Amino acid sequence: MFFHDKRLQYTVRCEKPNPLFARALQQAIGGVEGEIRVCLQYLFQGWGFRGPAKYKDMLLNTATEEIGHIEMLAYAVALNLENAPASMQEEAAGASSVVGAVLGGSSPTASIETLLGGMNQRHLLSAGMAATPENCNGVPFNASHVYASGNAAADMYCNVAAESTGRVLACRLYHLTDDPGMKDFLSFLIARDTMHQQQWLAVIEEMGGSAALPIPNSFNQANEATDFSYVFVGTNQDGSPPPAGRWTQGPSLDGKGTFSATVGVPHGQEPVLGPARPDSGAQVEQMSAKPPA
């Protein structure tokens, strides 16, 4: 069960509407780094969680918080579209050299057609000056980057990555705007991304950290091809040695092996398939071909 409070988690204000920035904010809603992604990721991880109840509770608490982040971003998009006539698009593009540069214009005063293509027309045509569940290019969110594997450690590493890329995006948006209200709001999202990175890392530590690797640690490593478990393979065409680093020498991070490096060589056979079947729709020449000796 979920409950709703009509007040936002944090104050969202916009001093000067900017339809171009409204479009950019859509990435934080429906982009692969966005809040819909992490919200659904934590919900499905929580709903399917098998293990200590505290981790399920933690996931669902954070997932519910992320619903509020989507709400705030949708409101921020709407505020940036508030009373914004079409003529404001040119103003918005020319108002900031950062906006002009990042959105692709050759100069701060480049025409709107040479920037992002202008405002997201669906904000007006489909949503009546409101946010949509899509990214900054108008591609609907499709959940292809929602990871809920059922393995607690694997999911926590996925969550760290999600919050890291989300924080990168929020920081870029922070530098893209000169609106004090938007900067203040984004500073809140950036702070929450900091906490969420830390909490998922804390779960990984509580589960044993690197000592709990490899994932899944329930699989008997004696059943894997152990000669290849801790060997870095270089694949430079000229056969030169692979780059040396922490991953090529010394004890492995899980403490169960020793890193080494080698130049990659084929260990298997050349793949050869039999002739095409008569009912496969292939050419006659394919069906009569004999495999090489």
Side-chain angles (χ1 to χ4, degrees), residues 79-99:
L79 287 180
N80 274 281
L81 295 169
E82 193 87 3
N83 301 319
S87 62
M88 283 196 67
Q89 296 178 51
E90 294 288 351
E91 278 186 46
S96 167
S97 60
V98 176
V99 172

Side-chain angles (χ1 to χ4, degrees), residues 232-236 238-242 261-265 267:
F232 181 85
V233 177
T235 53
N236 292 329
D238 61 5
S240 60
T262 187
V263 174
V265 295
H267 296 279

